[in-house]
Amino acid sequence: MRACVVGAGLGGLLAAANLAKEGFEVVVYEKLPYAGGRFTNMAYRGFQLSTGALHMIPHGEKGPLGRMLRSLSAEVEIIPSQPQAMFRIGGRDYEYEELPSIFPLRDRLKVAKIIAMLKLGRGAGSESYRSWLERQIKNEIVFKIADSFTGWSLSLSASEVPAGEVIAQTRNINKLGGPGIPAGGCGGVTQALVEVLESEGVRLLLKQRVETIRRKGGVFEVLAGEKESFELVVSNAGPKATAQLAGEILPAEYRRAVSRIRGAAGIKISVACKKPMLSHSGVLFTPEARRINGINEVTNAVPELAPHGEHLLMSHQRLAGGADVKREIELGLRDLRELFPEFKKYCRVLAVQVYRNSWPVNRAASGVHLPPATPVEGLYLVGDAVKPEGWMETDGIAAGVEEALRHIKASY
Amino acid sequence: MHVHEERCVGCAACMPFCPREAISVYGVAEIDRERCVGCGLCVAYCPNDAIEEG
Ligand SMILES: Cc1cc2nc3c(=O)[nH]c(=O)nc-3n(C[C@H](O)[C@H](O)[C@H](O)COP(=O)(O)OP(=O)(O)OC[C@H]3O[C@@H](n4cnc5c(N)ncnc54)[C@H](O)[C@@H]3O)c2cc1C
Ligand code: SF4
Ligand code: SF4
């Protein structure tokens, strides 16, 4: 059986490695000169910047991605963030468990109750996280904390995510723990997967753009330079691009539905620091900042991501639709200077990276659940538009690949 | 080299690969024509087909 994977992003690499292990003869086409898509490294002035991600895996080695990497014998050490997260409020940093203590007595119990409800995973219909919270409490700081969490991890505001999704995600955090940083950063994961593909005999073709996917005599005909035939096609190009590549073979109704999927946009600022700005390797949530939702300093766990003696700090902020991008960047930079009084003295901005439209943070906003199977038998989707409920970012991608594989195994 | 402003998202994927450090990105990529030698690397590295020769 021959399988074609369109795109060597994380979703494509995971799918290809699994299919090869299942005995498929796999060809991966990638239009760019490198594998990994938005989850790999790019060396810049001695720093390992990333093409997308903040060098973190949401549930470290315990989540779906960590589990899948182990099952594929992809060797990547994932270092747990310690602590998972801190929250900067009123100039002081608090751990999650300490949050109730910052509120006046009348709200303290309510906040403790919210934390308990999130943990138990109860009490949400289809309403947004923000309106769910408003039913429990009226307190601006609570809403800001919520926005910083959803902004950092989903590039959405709390009013843009269903409460059920956040509750399911929190349940997974409680069960599996928080983030980890892979040794070598995102590029460490991509490299390990590329090695698995090599050892499984997968053909990974870089600078090979798939132009069209057609159906002929019961097989798929994929045009990428030359025409090749496959029994199975797994697309990592995203639902919109896939609908364009496959054209008429997909029902018009499906193509219309896919064209309406909303993604999530964000801005990442990578900063070189002569001395550490954080004392830990977790996420610092910044609910009171103008724009920045959170910050990490990955070199506290993986020093190799910066030149010897230097540090790599990254901030992330949600980018609202229709916002003036340059102004949003300016406000983000202002936040950084205010959050770190020594910023001017010790830090310099390496890169400002905006993710939107065809190269977003997320091809489908969290809460949208597109199944991996398309209406065309043998044509599947993987990647960050295909995340089952409760799974975020790259753990969501791995969970989506798992679901696709279950389908494929049942039908081939 | 010409940057298509509607296609460029500002992701800076092109920036580190330019051998001449001719690209700066602040919401959108800008190419310093004085520095650029027209090697075309940035065209290949852009995920959004936003850079064209000329
Ligand atoms: C700023 C930012 C911060 C993030 N932080 C984190 C984080 O800390 N942790 C985390 O887990 N996640 C994070 N994410 C999310 C994560 O980076 C993405 O979800 C993930 O990398 C997406 O992988 P993918 O496989 O879906 O798509 P992509 O990485 O986009 O891969 C798709 C691939 O397909 C190729 N392709 C497209 N069309 C074709 C074609 N026609 N022919 C051939 N190839 C084609 C593309 O070139 C690309 O390489 C972050 C994202 C951003 C932008
Ligand atoms: S890689 Fe392309 S989209 Fe990204 S900043 Fe450069 S020109 Fe713009
Ligand atoms: S053509 Fe070459 S020198 Fe010019 S901007 Fe692109 S990468 Fe840099």
Side-chain angles (χ1 to χ4, degrees), chain A residues 163-240:
Chain A
E165 183 67 37
V166 177
I167 289 176
Q169 289 172 0
T170 313
R171 201 191 309 132
N172 286 329
I173 295 174
N174 281 312
K175 203 161 89 194
L176 301 168
I181 301 167
C186 305
V189 175
T190 292
Q191 186 52 36
L193 284 170
V194 167
E195 281 163 21
V196 172
L197 296 193
E198 275 166 11
S199 71
E200 293 289 331
V202 171
R203 274 164 67 205
L204 169 59
L205 306 173
L206 300 177
K207 295 199 231 173
Q208 289 270 350
R209 180 193 304 260
V210 170
E211 309 282 354
T212 56
I213 304 168
R214 294 286 176 266
R215 196 112 177 104
K216 212 172 183 180
V219 293
F220 292 98
E221 208 175 67
V222 174
L223 176 68
E226 285 167 31
K227 270 186 199 151
E228 284 209 49
S229 302
F230 299 92
E231 274 84 26
L232 177 73
V233 174
V234 176
S235 177
N236 181 217
K240 285 181 192 165

Side-chain angles (χ1 to χ4, degrees), chain A residues 53-266:
Chain A
L54 294 140
H55 287 314
M56 276 184 157
I57 297 176
H59 303 291
E61 56 176 24
K62 298 211 181 94
L65 178 58
R67 206 166 55 217
M68 187 171 275
L69 290 171
R70 271 196 304 285
S71 81
L72 293 167
S73 312
E75 302 213 3
V76 208
E77 191 195 351
I78 303 168
I79 298 134
S81 290
Q82 251 333 321
Q84 297 179 7
M86 300 290 282
F87 295 80
R88 181 160 299 179
I89 294 159
R92 257 198 63 186
D93 294 353
Y94 298 89
E95 291 203 40
Y96 184 63
E97 291 72 23
E98 291 177 289
L99 286 179
S101 73
I102 66 170
F103 293 95
L105 203 52
R106 71 189 147 81
D107 279 345
R108 201 171 298 168
L109 275 175
K110 288 185 186 166
V111 171
K113 187 177 155 211
I114 292 171
I115 290 179
M117 286 169 89
L118 284 171
K119 193 165 186 167
L120 294 170
R122 288 214 199 106
S126 57
E127 65 193 319
S128 78
Y129 184 36
R130 164 84 189 213
S131 56
W132 179 82
L133 282 171
E134 280 173 354
R135 285 199 291 113
Q136 328 295 333
I137 198 166
K138 296 265 174 302
N139 185 308
E140 255 334 289
I141 284 291
V142 171
F143 304 145
K144 285 186 172 168
I145 292 173
D147 278 333
S148 69
F149 173 77
T150 57
W152 167 267
S153 55
L154 314 171
S155 292
L156 299 172
S157 71
S159 35
E160 292 170 314
V161 202
E165 183 67 37
V166 177
I167 289 176
Q169 289 172 0
T170 313
R171 201 191 309 132
N172 286 329
I173 295 174
N174 281 312
K175 203 161 89 194
L176 301 168
I181 301 167
C186 305
V189 175
T190 292
Q191 186 52 36
L193 284 170
V194 167
E195 281 163 21
V196 172
L197 296 193
E198 275 166 11
S199 71
E200 293 289 331
V202 171
R203 274 164 67 205
L204 169 59
L205 306 173
L206 300 177
K207 295 199 231 173
Q208 289 270 350
R209 180 193 304 260
V210 170
E211 309 282 354
T212 56
I213 304 168
R214 294 286 176 266
R215 196 112 177 104
K216 212 172 183 180
V219 293
F220 292 98
E221 208 175 67
V222 174
L223 176 68
E226 285 167 31
K227 270 186 199 151
E228 284 209 49
S229 302
F230 299 92
E231 274 84 26
L232 177 73
V233 174
V234 176
S235 177
N236 181 217
K240 285 181 192 165
T242 305
Q244 273 169 13
L245 295 174
E248 309 273 278
I249 70 172
L250 283 166
E253 198 187 325
Y254 183 80
R255 280 182 279 149
R256 259 199 307 280
V258 152
S259 72
R260 284 195 293 261
I261 294 176
R262 199 169 48 91

